[in-house]
Amino acid sequence: MSNLKDHQAWLKEFYEGRGWYQYPTFIHLNFVTEEVGELSRAVRALEIGRDHPGEAKKTHEELMDNLEEELADVLDQVLMISSKYDVNPETLLKRSEVKLTKRFKPLEKSVTSSSKI
């Protein structure tokens, strides 16, 4: 997949082939919620080395692999919802940049490179 729009089209076809695409959008929104929970667990495991105290520690590579997988799952669900409303995902990227640019004034380079959230 070379871009978000191509991946969105591939996902739609994949979901349609399995009978999942026809689910109402609010069901897909529930999938987003589930995937964000899994992403939270992946981040927690990466930050402290495990998800919960009884779990064996994983390697950094295993933790990063899980993080990427969960980020991809969240992205896929966002793409599914945008597909249901015929929203081009490339438009979402542009809207994000425009919104942030309007909302926040540019920072000086020295501030940008040294500031942390």
Side-chain angles (χ1 to χ4, degrees):
M1 304 296 129
S2 60
N3 62 48
L4 287 175
K5 190 169 172 84
D6 289 346
H7 186 68
Q8 182 186 49
W10 180 87
L11 274 174
K12 182 179 179 193
E13 184 177 313
F14 184 88
Y15 273 58
E16 285 174 336
R18 286 157 179 79
W20 302 338
Y21 190 77
Q22 84 283 357
Y23 293 143
T25 307
F26 70 88
I27 296 293
H28 289 278
L29 188 57
N30 287 335
F31 294 157
V32 170
T33 303
E34 176 186 344
E35 296 301 343
V36 168
E38 292 176 13
L39 175 59
S40 296
R41 291 183 70 178
V43 169
R44 182 175 57 225
L46 189 58
E47 292 296 320
I48 65 172
R50 64 190 190 297
D51 182 39
H52 58 79
E55 183 178 83
K57 285 194 172 195
K58 295 180 181 173
T59 66
H60 183 73
E61 184 178 290
E62 290 171 319
L63 294 170
M64 287 301 296
D65 182 63
N66 187 45
L67 177 67
E68 289 177 4
E69 180 179 321
E70 299 307 337
L71 284 166
D73 289 348
V74 170
L75 178 61
D76 283 353
Q77 291 306 317
V78 169
L79 291 173
M80 286 287 47
I81 291 171
S82 61
S83 174
K84 297 286 270 183
Y85 291 105
D86 226 6
V87 174
N88 181 336
E90 303 295 334
T91 301
L92 300 176
L93 299 177
K94 290 175 191 165
R95 289 187 64 98
S96 172
E97 291 175 10
V98 167
K99 178 182 176 179
L100 290 172
T101 302
K102 281 182 179 178
R103 186 175 287 176
F104 301 100
K105 294 179 182 180
L107 298 175
E108 295 177 24
K109 275 195 172 207
S110 61
V111 174
T112 304
S113 61
S114 65
S115 66
K116 293 186 179 186
I117 295 176

